[in-house]
Amino acid sequence: MQVVKYVFQPHGDERGQLVSLEEYNDIPFEIKRVYYMYSTVEGAVRGHHAHKSLQQILFCVHGSCKVLLDNGREKKVVPLEKPYEGLYVANNMWREMYDFSPDAVLMVLASEPYNEADYIRDYDEFLKYVNVTKAEE
Ligand code: TYD
């Protein structure tokens, strides 16, 4: 499984850092939604779902967390620790976010508005959807 992590060049000067993200230039899709999570409780796991068509890029703009990516056949754990790094999460990819530092702010850029019908929240259903049989797992 190929993990795509974008590393952006911050505009830094004596005042500090600034990261700019433009749709199509920096982000490979039209940004239809932005959401972020913070005050995540110690030990909490978020995500635990896949999307049928949504693409996303995850930024831990403050603090750190880990992201488990699972395409049904292979799993990878990706740490997000830098505010200028964005993890691309394609559709048909199971994801779980965990190990949030108390100060973590996880910002997500999404290619579509919120749509519950696009979610696959059951892992066995996800395996069926991506055509992975239990024996292969
Ligand atoms: P949830 O899907 O449980 O978040 P995660 O999978 O990242 O842990 O979403 C939590 C709540 O927020 C749920 O009631 C749905 C709502 N929500 C929106 O209204 N809009 C959104 O864009 C998202 C991501 C969630």
Side-chain angles (χ1 to χ4, degrees):
M1 183 206 305
Q2 208 197 340
V3 171
V4 180
K5 205 181 201 184
Y6 293 93
V7 181
F8 296 98
Q9 182 65 55
H11 301 273
D13 60 27
E14 62 286 350
R15 297 168 298 173
Q17 304 296 327
L18 184 155
V19 176
S20 160
L21 306 167
E22 289 187 10
E23 60 190 10
Y24 299 129
N25 279 339
D26 305 297
I27 304 299
F29 50 76
E30 193 178 342
I31 302 165
K32 298 248 181 83
R33 176 167 53 116
V34 178
Y35 64 92
Y36 49 90
M37 37 193 103
Y38 61 96
S39 294
T40 306
V41 170
E42 197 187 342
V45 179
R46 302 214 60 133
H48 210 267
H49 64 250
H51 286 280
K52 293 173 188 167
S53 56
L54 187 76
Q55 305 172 71
Q56 297 183 311
I57 299 198
L58 278 55
F59 291 85
C60 206
V61 291
H62 196 255
S64 62
C65 70
K66 291 197 178 75
V67 184
L68 169 84
L69 295 179
D70 176 354
N71 65 5
R73 292 185 167 80
E74 217 184 321
K75 297 178 207 247
K76 287 238 165 99
V77 173
V78 185
L80 280 181
E81 295 167 340
K82 304 285 184 200
Y84 51 81
E85 286 181 350
L87 175 65
Y88 177 71
V89 183
N91 59 328
N92 298 334
M93 184 73 79
W94 189 264
R95 86 289 313 273
E96 294 175 19
M97 295 85 85
Y98 62 101
D99 256 9
F100 286 85
S101 62
D103 58 349
V105 181
L106 183 65
M107 180 184 79
V108 182
L109 308 184
S111 64
E112 298 298 334
Y114 180 72
N115 174 15
E116 189 56 40
D118 189 60
Y119 279 74
I120 307 171
R121 294 191 182 274
D122 179 84
Y123 189 71
D124 286 344
E125 195 187 314
F126 165 68
L127 292 180
K128 262 191 232 154
Y129 193 80
V130 294
N131 270 320
V132 177
T133 60
K134 274 285 192 190
E136 257 189 273
E137 202 189 321

